[in-house]
Amino acid sequence: MLLRVKNLKKYFPVKHGFVIERTVGHVKAVDNVNLHLERGETYGLVGESGCGKTTIGKTILRLHDPSAGKIMVDDKETSHFFMKKREAKEFLKREYVDKAEGLKKQYKSVDGVMANTEEYENQYYKYYFDNGEEKFYDFMMKDIKKKRMNFRRNVQIVFQDPTSSLNPRMTVGQALMEPLLFHGVVKNKLQAKERILEMLRTVGLKAYHADRYPHQFSGGQRQRVAVARAIVLDPNLIILDEPTSALDVSVQAQIIRLLKELQDKLNAGYLFISHDLGVVRYISNYVGVMYLGRMVEYGVGDEVFDKPEHPYAQALLNAAPVPDPNKRRDRKQFIITGQVPSPMNRPKGCFFNPRCKFAMDECKQKYPPYYAINDKHFVACYLYKENEVVKGD
Ligand SMILES: Nc1ncnc2c1ncn2[C@@H]1O[C@H](COP(=O)(O)OP(=O)(O)OP(=O)(O)O)[C@@H](O)[C@H]1O
């Protein structure tokens, strides 16, 4: 599995006080979110502004530390890649040293058995047994750094506004050269230049664009540069955070087409964050609808778009353009009233209950679990409580 997010939480502390700061609450930007994604697939995240989409993307990328939960990339838990030295040492002691010492005791009575155990075959335990604790820590810290670099290479992001994500003082050639040399992907500058020209061609730009600065491009071209920078290291996972929102409609279509073509070429997984429901529908295999930090409905894209079941998802997705006018008439129509509550002070029970015209007593008591509409479609709403309950995965 390329990406697996399990019970992810990101709470931002809210502090008051000028001289003595104290935490007066938390913005629960992301609360118990699960999602997974394979290579070559796209997971679309939709929901109103402020529901936590960008925070999920940034937390996966480790621009934010998660408050709780797991993020696994290529089946590997990523949290210890980003630990500070002391924390990492504690983690290594817990995960390896203490366990290795336990094994030693277990096998003490039978000399020579240790070398035949499964754990001894594991390179980390073997290193510890052969080299002792201090050398083991040095070895593991280097290993963690290697994994962190590998993660940084493998997971990339494209932001909405390429103007702020590109360094204005660097030419496009320099901006693309930097990560190539930093990650040692190429042996020398000549190889780097070849790769940069190939990347520019891939995203529909010309060789002479390498000598230009970001301000010398149009918005669409700048986003092409940002895409080139994201793919130059051949990543497996790309987070696309509103990649077309700042562009004209005709340019949006070109960028989306480019992203689709690139996905076929790179076989990368995309986490696609957008307000534009039409684009999300077009590009995504799976879709998750978020409300106040939680995924209220998720599943295979066409299923969720054709038959949204959560009252919030129905209201939101009804706003999406539908190519087939007959389908549009079949849709349940209603409009949500009221304001989105504050993520610092969410309503009891289902967070949507004060705005939901179907709200029942239990909706005001406890947040609903996920019910399976079928094996491709899940919804957190008591209206479906006759259905099988599933873990939010
Ligand atoms: N660094 C931060 N510190 C404190 N609160 C934050 C921070 N970043 C985001 N938030 C809050 O977390 C919540 C979720 O924000 P987020 O940007 O993830 O939403 P979003 O769904 O991506 O919205 P948009 O579509 O407008 O980008 C919001 O209430 C926001 O104010």
Side-chain angles (χ1 to χ4, degrees), residues 238-255:
I238 306 180
I239 296 167
L240 298 150
D241 190 355
E242 306 267 7
T244 58
S245 307
L247 307 172
D248 288 348
V249 176
S250 62
V251 184
Q252 279 182 8
Q254 291 169 16
I255 297 290

Side-chain angles (χ1 to χ4, degrees), residues 113-131:
V113 171
M114 185 68 102
N116 299 324
T117 59
E118 206 179 295
E119 287 80 5
Y120 194 84
E121 295 309 315
N122 174 313
Q123 56 159 331
Y124 299 131
Y125 283 110
K126 186 169 176 6
Y127 197 94
Y128 176 75
F129 291 138
D130 292 351
N131 298 285

Side-chain angles (χ1 to χ4, degrees), residues 12-13 27 29 47-56 64 242 273 275 343:
F12 294 105
V27 172
E48 277 166 284
S49 184
C51 68
K53 306 181 296 295
T54 297
T55 305
I56 292 184
H64 294 314
E242 306 267 7
I273 298 169
H275 281 112

Side-chain angles (χ1 to χ4, degrees), residues 230-287:
I231 63 167
V232 73
L233 297 172
D234 203 9
N236 295 341
L237 172 62
I238 306 180
I239 296 167
L240 298 150
D241 190 355
E242 306 267 7
T244 58
S245 307
L247 307 172
D248 288 348
V249 176
S250 62
V251 184
Q252 279 182 8
Q254 291 169 16
I255 297 290
I256 292 297
R257 220 174 300 129
L258 170 68
L259 290 171
K260 266 249 189 204
E261 281 166 20
L262 284 177
Q263 191 171 39
D264 294 339
K265 220 179 201 167
L266 301 169
N267 195 27
Y270 287 171
L271 181 66
F272 193 91
I273 298 169
S274 182
H275 281 112
D276 189 332
L277 300 170
V279 169
V280 173
R281 176 164 198 164
Y282 172 71
I283 202 163
S284 308
N285 310 83
Y286 299 96
V287 65

Side-chain angles (χ1 to χ4, degrees), residues 1 3 9 50 58 66 117 143 159 162 172 179 191 216 222 238 241 259-260 323 385 390:
M1 179 78 46
L3 172 69
K9 293 185 183 179
K58 286 188 171 172
T117 59
D143 188 65
F159 288 108
V172 164
Q191 268 190 11
Q216 294 173 298
R222 252 196 309 266
I238 306 180
D241 190 355
L259 290 171
K260 266 249 189 204
K385 69 179 173 193
V390 290

Side-chain angles (χ1 to χ4, degrees), residues 336-340 355:
I336 336 171
T337 52
Q339 298 287 315
V340 186
R355 302 172 79 191

Side-chain angles (χ1 to χ4, degrees), residues 189-228:
K189 281 200 171 175
L190 189 69
Q191 268 190 11
K193 277 185 184 165
E194 279 169 18
R195 174 110 182 120
I196 289 166
L197 294 181
E198 184 199 329
M199 283 301 108
L200 291 176
R201 261 196 313 275
T202 307
V203 299
L205 295 171
K206 300 276 188 289
Y208 62 81
H209 286 129
D211 290 322
R212 296 209 173 153
Y213 289 90
H215 73 269
Q216 294 173 298
F217 290 93
S218 69
Q221 282 176 326
R222 252 196 309 266
Q223 201 54 305
R224 284 176 194 271
V225 173
V227 171

